[in-house]
Amino acid sequence: NTGKVLKKSVVANTYEKQAIIYCHASTVNQVTEGLGLKSQEWMCRKRCETNNVKVVGVFLDEWIFSAKLERPDIDGAIAFLEKENKTFVKVLYFVCTEESSISRADNLMDTLMLDTKIRETGVDIIYTFGNVDTSTDEGKLLNQFKFIIASEVR
């Protein structure tokens, strides 16, 4: 636990924290080094369980070249969040292992736009590795640096 306080919201007249999980594996090395979809999902579920957050959806993109932004399940995750959070925020968190799960695109602007698109659904993005509090200017800047590093590591 990185110390980030998870918020509560009213869901169906009860206090319940909800999240979706997004996992992305694009290389054989990720799978052989223990960072395949099953491992990522387990880490995300563990993070949710530790913080008493109910997982309401899991979205998995595997073997899709990481520099591409066109990923069927990240698009599905965003569509799910837009639908679920249309009237009021029900799902609070988009949980993934690290910044490179969202994008390793060569274009930082595309990555930032995708990050914004996810956040505009009403969720906070939670990373199981080195979570950054992006509610502060310093956290936003650090997150952008992490996106830059992810775009260089392939």
Side-chain angles (χ1 to χ4, degrees):
N1 188 351
T2 63
K4 182 167 177 93
V5 176
L6 300 178
K7 312 181 261 193
K8 289 185 178 182
S9 81
V10 177
V11 179
N13 297 325
T14 64
Y15 286 96
E16 182 176 52
K17 298 177 284 186
Q18 296 184 355
I20 65 162
I21 291 172
Y22 175 72
C23 304
H24 175 243
S26 61
T27 68
V28 173
N29 284 351
Q30 283 180 300
V31 175
T32 59
E33 293 173 7
L35 291 175
L37 295 179
K38 287 182 182 180
S39 296
Q40 289 181 40
E41 183 180 346
W42 181 86
M43 287 182 266
C44 292
R45 283 187 182 279
K46 192 71 176 163
R47 177 68 178 262
C48 289
E49 179 184 311
T50 300
N51 288 284
N52 197 31
V53 175
K54 179 181 178 184
V55 175
V56 295
V58 176
F59 299 85
L60 310 170
D61 278 323
E62 187 171 34
W63 306 119
I64 296 172
F65 181 62
S66 61
K68 293 186 185 239
L69 283 177
E70 299 82 20
R71 299 179 187 162
D73 269 30
I74 202 162
D75 294 337
I78 292 168
F80 176 84
L81 290 169
E82 288 172 341
K83 179 180 175 227
E84 290 298 307
N85 290 352
K86 187 173 186 170
T87 307
F88 62 93
V89 176
K90 300 175 198 169
V91 181
L92 296 174
Y93 309 107
F94 179 104
V95 182
C96 56
T97 54
E98 58 190 328
E99 289 79 1
S100 65
S101 297
I102 291 178
S103 182
R104 283 188 177 171
D106 292 333
N107 185 332
L108 178 60
M109 187 56 67
D110 287 344
T111 300
L112 296 174
M113 287 173 31
L114 181 58
D115 178 78
T116 299
K117 188 174 182 179
I118 293 167
R119 291 178 192 282
E120 284 176 345
T121 66
V123 298
D124 287 333
I125 301 173
I126 305 296
Y127 302 106
T128 62
F129 298 152
N131 198 25
V132 174
D133 181 1
T134 56
S135 66
T136 66
D137 289 338
E138 294 83 6
K140 289 174 187 170
L141 182 61
L142 180 56
N143 201 46
Q144 289 177 6
F145 283 133
K146 287 181 153 203
F147 282 140
I148 292 168
I149 292 167
S151 72
E152 298 299 322
V153 178
R154 293 192 194 199

